[in-house]
Amino acid sequence: MLQLYFFPMACSLSSRIALLEAGIEAQYHLAHIWTKRLVDDGRDFREVSPKGAVPVLVLENGERLTESAAVLQYIADVKPEARLAPRPGDIDRYRLQEWLSFVGAEIHKAFLFPTFWYKDDGSLAKPRARIMQTLSVPAAHLAGREFLVGDAFTVADAHLTWTLLLLRPAGIDIAQWPPLAAYLERMQARPAVKEAIAIEMALRKTVAASAA
């Protein structure tokens, strides 16, 4: 059975969404990204991954994958009939990688990461100035489209959905981009997405209460 190391509402949420969308059973391990400790046994999370970051996907043979783009594509390939990624050789397979890279680099690392980790205005000025132009790219792409790639939900949608969910707490109202707002509403209506968010929101409250 696959094992996913996660933190509630962190980028590992997209991996949980993908697993639920594919109907893949997995074991989930809560890793505290601030303390670098595993919640169930107190071990140093860096024993699992030296990066100390989620997601970490442990495969059935014991090998470990990190980085959302790699983890998401692996999950998609475990169950190809779920259509969470286009088949190898299809041009849309590269479109999928294109969007995973864009979301990971331009929204997650360039904006969300500094917003939630750095607090001084000087560090945040450049990311905040840049995000407005960044979000105009998926907004224009999604005008008249239901999904990022092709005609079906893919792991790229799982990843973009997570970033859009965190933009409001990061101080960005996506209502400024109607295609993004409509897209997020559609994604949140999906049963697997709704379930994943509900699970992680409940766990986030538990983690916050334990730290109080």
Side-chain angles (χ1 to χ4, degrees):
M1 182 179 291
L2 297 177
Q3 300 178 60
L4 180 70
Y5 287 81
F6 75 99
F7 184 77
M9 298 306 292
C11 56
S12 48
L13 173 64
S14 57
S15 296
R16 184 188 292 271
I17 290 172
L19 287 164
L20 292 174
E21 285 279 354
I24 298 171
E25 286 191 39
Q27 293 179 343
Y28 294 87
H29 305 282
L30 178 52
H32 203 300
I33 57 175
W34 308 105
T35 65
K36 306 302 180 186
R37 293 287 170 183
L38 297 178
V39 172
D40 55 357
D41 60 14
R43 281 188 301 137
D44 190 331
F45 177 39
R46 285 163 291 202
E47 294 177 16
V48 177
S49 172
K51 295 176 181 177
V54 295
V56 179
L57 187 70
V58 181
L59 312 186
E60 293 184 351
N61 64 2
E63 291 190 46
R64 296 170 185 178
L65 279 178
T66 62
E67 305 298 333
S68 289
V71 169
L72 288 168
Q73 289 177 88
Y74 184 88
I75 291 170
D77 287 343
V78 168
K79 196 169 182 181
E81 62 269 26
R83 297 182 66 201
L84 293 181
R87 295 184 180 279
D90 187 326
I91 184 60
D92 276 346
R93 180 80 176 197
Y94 306 101
R95 298 298 184 199
L96 177 83
Q97 293 168 7
E98 183 179 27
W99 280 111
L100 287 173
S101 297
F102 179 86
V103 171
E106 301 299 331
I107 306 179
H108 180 192
K109 294 297 185 181
F111 179 73
L112 291 176
F113 185 87
T115 296
F116 285 104
W117 283 83
Y118 307 135
K119 299 304 179 186
D120 62 286
D121 290 338
S123 298
L124 296 176
K126 186 177 289 185
R128 289 193 177 279
R130 181 176 175 178
I131 192 62
M132 308 302 284
Q133 177 61 34
T134 297
L135 291 174
S136 69
V137 175
H141 179 74
L142 287 165
R145 297 177 58 96
E146 188 170 357
F147 304 105
L148 277 176
V149 179
D151 60 356
F153 182 96
T154 68
V155 291
D157 294 300
H159 206 30
L160 180 60
T161 295
W162 166 71
T163 61
L164 295 181
L165 285 169
L166 262 67
L167 284 174
R168 184 180 290 276
I172 301 296
D173 185 358
I174 65 168
Q176 302 170 74
W177 300 272
L180 289 183
Y183 169 84
L184 181 58
E185 185 176 353
R186 291 196 304 274
M187 296 303 104
Q188 289 182 279
R190 296 179 68 86
V193 175
K194 189 180 298 185
E195 180 182 355
I197 294 170
I199 290 170
E200 299 218 352
M201 287 297 290
L203 287 169
R204 187 168 73 168
K205 292 178 182 178
T206 299
V207 170
S210 66

